[in-house]
Amino acid sequence: MAAQNNAPLPEGLEVGGYRIVKKISSGGFSIVYLATDERGDSVAIKEYMPAALASRKAGELNPAISPEHLNTYRIGLKCFFEEDGRSPRSITRTSCAC
């Protein structure tokens, strides 16, 4: 597994009604952020960011994915959302934003 060398999303960025507070963890396949919702409640946001397939530099929002890795990236993204047999809409924990 490749080390995570990608730039995290910037603090203060709003994503789907959630505001990024800070990066709290990262691994070879994802970056996890502490964020707040519109009421100010804390949530965790897990971003699919496979270091071996995608790259993002500081100041960029979207990852760059080379054409030869695109199919593998898409398959991994599908699996990411199906993790543990659950789709994002079926997760009911109030501290999880998908």
Side-chain angles (χ1 to χ4, degrees):
M1 176 172 26
Q4 188 61 260
N5 294 320
N6 288 308
L9 293 171
E11 294 177 4
L13 179 69
E14 193 166 313
V15 178
Y18 301 93
R19 185 168 303 279
I20 302 291
V21 175
K22 66 179 181 176
K23 178 183 108 173
I24 56 176
S25 179
S26 64
F29 290 97
S30 64
I31 302 174
V32 180
Y33 304 92
L34 172 64
T36 55
D37 64 14
E38 294 168 349
R39 296 180 309 208
D41 294 330
S42 294
V43 298
I45 296 177
K46 185 175 183 182
E47 177 188 24
Y48 177 66
M49 181 60 71
L53 303 175
S55 63
R56 181 173 55 217
K57 297 177 184 171
E60 297 176 348
L61 296 181
N62 296 316
I65 304 149
S66 64
E68 64 266 16
H69 291 131
L70 188 56
N71 191 48
T72 303
Y73 177 89
R74 288 179 176 161
I75 292 167
L77 183 61
K78 180 179 182 290
C79 292
F80 179 80
F81 282 115
E82 293 172 350
E83 192 174 62
D84 294 330
R86 300 172 294 180
S87 70
R89 291 184 181 92
S90 70
I91 297 173
T92 58
R93 281 183 257 147
T94 57
S95 61
C96 183
C98 302

